[in-house]
Amino acid sequence: ERPVGRRAALPAGPDLRHFLRGAAAGEPRSEPGSAPGTGRVYLETYGCQMNVNDTEIAWAILQKNGYTRTKELDEADVILLVTCSVREKAEQAIWNRLRHLKALKVRRQQDRVPLRIGILGCMAERLKEEILHREKLVDIVAGPDAYRDLPRLLAVAESGQQAANVLLSLDETYADILPVQTSAGGTTAFVSIMRGCDNMCSYCIVPFTRGRERSRPITSILQEVRMLSDQGVKEVTLLGQNVNSFRDMSEVQFQSAAAPVLSRGFSTVYKAKPGGLCFAHLLDQVSRIDPEMRIRFTSPHPKDFPDEASVLQLIQERHNICKQLHLPAQSGSTRVLEAMRRGYTREAYLELVHHVRESIPGVSLSSDFIAGFCGETEEDHQQTVSLLREVRYNVGFLFAYSMRQKTRAYHRLQDDVPADIKQRRLEELITVFREEAARANEAMVGQSQLVLVEGPSKRSALELCGRNDGNIKVIFPDAETEDAAGCEALVRAQPGDYVLVKVTSASSQTLKGVLLCRTTLSRSAACR
């Protein structure tokens, strides 16, 4: 699951009061260390990469307050589910999981061993009352801006009461919390650079569950990336709902810059804020930290790639910024894009794609698409099919439309495409995407690809898997190989190593090849 929507304005009326209450009222915040806790915590993450990062933030706060971590469900004193609300299917997965956990909690009560269950994240924000009242199973509910309050909420739950905090903040970025990586020894990591979103795409729940857009100070981000480099992490993905609208306003001297200018053919319904250090400045600084660390970012909005192309130029110039871009289109129909409030036409989007490919030769492109949005006709659907064929994405995320309460579509539009037609259109989009992705990937057969080794292949212990610069999975034999540094002894590739793989076959999702040698990111760039 991936939340792909944007936001352009605050909701009016009661929604605005819910959005701001507590954030501007000066309510005290629970800080790490204010409520010492004990017990073993079991964490489960659902949904997007932002939730992976949220899990790491929540765990950093709990660890600092005396909790320990367990990977065994039966050992847990506290079970926390970090949830997603972007589609109905994502929420249903949580309700199903809670039914399973109910039996465990009943057994614990019979044995007089307490078990506390918490719902964190977007679903907590959206459905607090229902979660607390349905079967009285959940003890704590914490929204995305309330993780600092977890120790207090758990302390309240220990007394037998339910506890909740779903207040959205205008300034919370957890800038002072260094996330604890939940996958020890991992080669890749996510770094949150901003929270919330100021676009208001009509289909999207994200503005109502994650709040207004606010950027984390660059100094805090650089500190975290340096820490990850010191830990041996070889790839960092900069995360945000709309990363290329990043603006660091944390210092007075940053506030003299002009407001960003949108590309030709793009628009927004909110007024861009002047001042602040922009995303290109952040990307430049992050890429200088470690020449052996790959840098990715997601998710940008097409409207925020300005014509002066500083971000695109950085991607082209820096060997450690991956030549890969996520350009979420959502639809190929200008009429549907207008109903979605995306701020661009099909023609403007295609012009951007052309500009990107001219600026970054060989770039890998990915995108998001929604099938069966409100009012979508068969002609609209065929325009999306033709966009998939014309652009030929390497990676795609495609879903049937799922209407969410509170969104503009819920209040203004009709969810009038029948479920069976949504499903049929989705299947057609997936088929076309796979055909075109297979053609795009087949063009790499015979080429050498630089691959960051992630670990054993899931399908065979005799093979390793990793990802190339374009974020495409590459499978190759786990065999001894030469080292490009020139040492005589043969070596075996380990997670975190860079290797050259010659591609021998390709599908829509995977490349397969033979191992040529172990190398480094800098050495490989020098040989291009």
Side-chain angles (χ1 to χ4, degrees), residues 5-76:
R6 318 290 175 214
R7 173 184 175 78
L10 278 172
D15 282 337
L16 177 58
R17 290 194 294 274
H18 170 76
F19 204 85
L20 295 178
R21 61 180 178 155
E27 292 192 9
R29 247 186 206 160
S30 252
E31 295 295 331
S34 63
T38 57
R40 290 161 295 190
V41 179
Y42 179 88
L43 287 152
E44 278 186 4
T45 308
Y46 295 79
C48 68
Q49 300 101 318
M50 289 293 292
N51 282 0
V52 175
N53 187 258
D54 276 11
T55 301
E56 294 170 351
I57 290 170
W59 171 231
I61 291 167
L62 291 172
Q63 186 182 56
K64 197 169 184 178
N65 280 268
Y67 288 88
T68 56
R69 181 82 180 272
T70 179
K71 293 185 178 180
E72 300 299 326
L73 189 67
D74 290 336
E75 293 180 356

Side-chain angles (χ1 to χ4, degrees), residues 222-235:
L222 298 180
Q223 180 188 6
E224 184 177 345
V225 174
R226 288 190 191 100
M227 179 191 75
L228 293 169
S229 174
D230 292 341
Q231 293 174 357
V233 169
K234 292 297 181 69
E235 181 179 291

Side-chain angles (χ1 to χ4, degrees), residues 346-388:
R346 173 193 176 98
E347 291 73 24
Y349 180 87
L350 283 171
E351 186 177 335
L352 173 63
V353 169
H354 179 70
H355 178 48
V356 165
R357 286 191 160 143
E358 274 193 336
S359 303
I360 313 169
V363 67
S364 171
L365 295 181
S366 58
S367 193
D368 302 316
F369 287 93
I370 296 172
F373 184 66
C374 305
E376 183 187 74
T377 65
E378 193 62 30
E379 181 182 351
D380 295 323
H381 168 63
Q382 290 304 321
Q383 288 182 39
T384 302
V385 169
S386 72
L387 185 72
L388 282 165

Side-chain angles (χ1 to χ4, degrees), residues 251-441:
E251 302 287 344
V252 173
Q253 63 267 30
F254 298 167
Q255 296 173 16
S256 59
V261 178
L262 298 181
S263 301
R264 293 182 302 273
F266 291 84
S267 64
T268 181
V269 296
Y270 68 88
K271 185 177 180 180
K273 296 183 284 286
L277 297 179
C278 65
F279 181 64
H281 183 91
L282 171 65
L283 192 60
D284 172 46
Q285 294 298 306
V286 169
S287 68
R288 293 176 186 271
I289 288 174
D290 184 349
E292 290 300 312
M293 176 187 276
R294 272 180 172 170
I295 309 299
R296 301 187 190 277
F297 58 87
T298 197
S299 183
H301 192 293
K303 71 176 172 54
D304 291 309
F305 285 102
D307 289 334
E308 47 88 9
S310 54
V311 169
L312 302 182
Q313 185 176 344
L314 273 173
I315 297 171
Q316 195 276 327
E317 291 177 353
R318 299 287 164 85
H319 75 276
N320 61 336
I321 303 178
C322 291
K323 310 300 182 280
Q324 174 245 329
L325 272 183
H326 187 65
L327 294 178
Q330 308 302 356
S331 175
S333 161
T334 293
R335 195 184 69 82
V336 173
L337 289 169
E338 183 177 0
M340 289 178 166
R341 302 183 91 196
R342 289 293 290 167
Y344 52 84
T345 62
R346 173 193 176 98
E347 291 73 24
Y349 180 87
L350 283 171
E351 186 177 335
L352 173 63
V353 169
H354 179 70
H355 178 48
V356 165
R357 286 191 160 143
E358 274 193 336
S359 303
I360 313 169
V363 67
S364 171
L365 295 181
S366 58
S367 193
D368 302 316
F369 287 93
I370 296 172
F373 184 66
C374 305
E376 183 187 74
T377 65
E378 193 62 30
E379 181 182 351
D380 295 323
H381 168 63
Q382 290 304 321
Q383 288 182 39
T384 302
V385 169
S386 72
L387 185 72
L388 282 165
R389 292 207 182 278
E390 186 168 349
V391 177
R392 187 171 288 178
Y393 300 95
N394 298 87
V395 178
F397 303 90
L398 303 93
F399 302 96
Y401 175 61
S402 174
M403 182 169 270
R404 307 276 76 198
Q405 289 183 2
K406 295 187 180 179
T407 62
R408 184 181 178 89
Y410 179 81
H411 292 292
R412 303 285 186 89
L413 303 176
Q414 294 294 317
D415 187 10
D416 54 0
V417 179
D420 59 332
I421 294 179
K422 285 182 185 177
Q423 190 59 35
R424 189 259 299 167
R425 289 177 183 173
L426 175 61
E427 290 169 1
E428 288 180 9
L429 294 182
I430 291 172
T431 297
V432 172
F433 159 73
R434 286 179 174 167
E435 288 172 357
E436 297 303 324
R439 292 188 179 102
N441 292 345

Side-chain angles (χ1 to χ4, degrees), residues 110-250:
Q110 292 170 347
D111 296 336
R112 297 190 176 182
V113 180
L115 173 65
R116 286 154 286 157
I117 295 175
I119 298 294
L120 313 186
C122 294
M123 187 171 168
E125 187 69 43
R126 198 179 88 79
L127 296 173
K128 180 191 80 170
E129 300 295 335
E130 185 176 353
I131 291 168
L132 288 174
H133 294 150
R134 189 188 282 197
E135 300 179 14
K136 302 292 183 182
L137 175 66
V138 174
D139 301 286
I140 74 163
V141 172
D145 291 346
Y147 300 142
R148 293 179 191 270
D149 204 24
L150 281 172
R152 183 190 67 83
L153 296 174
L154 286 168
V156 172
E158 284 176 7
S159 69
Q161 303 177 66
Q162 290 180 307
N165 183 347
V166 294
L167 298 178
L168 288 175
S169 168
L170 292 175
D171 58 8
E172 179 63 89
T173 63
Y174 300 106
D176 58 322
I177 305 292
L178 286 178
V180 176
Q181 298 299 306
T182 53
S183 55
T187 61
T188 64
F190 299 116
V191 173
S192 175
I193 66 169
M194 61 198 304
R195 298 181 74 82
C197 189
D198 279 349
N199 298 299
M200 178 82 88
C201 294
S202 60
Y203 53 80
C204 186
I205 191 64
V206 170
F208 301 93
T209 59
R210 287 193 170 269
R212 289 296 301 262
E213 183 177 294
R214 60 269 188 205
S215 298
R216 184 176 165 189
I218 284 181
T219 53
S220 166
I221 298 167
L222 298 180
Q223 180 188 6
E224 184 177 345
V225 174
R226 288 190 191 100
M227 179 191 75
L228 293 169
S229 174
D230 292 341
Q231 293 174 357
V233 169
K234 292 297 181 69
E235 181 179 291
V236 159
T237 301
L238 305 178
L239 283 181
Q241 233 63 52
N242 189 12
V243 290
N244 51 345
S245 68
F246 174 93
R247 307 287 282 192
D248 177 6
M249 309 281 286
S250 62

Side-chain angles (χ1 to χ4, degrees), residues 486-502:
C487 60
E488 295 183 6
L490 296 177
V491 296
R492 278 192 180 272
Q494 302 296 322
D497 285 344
Y498 290 103
V499 295
L500 282 176
V501 175
K502 185 173 182 180

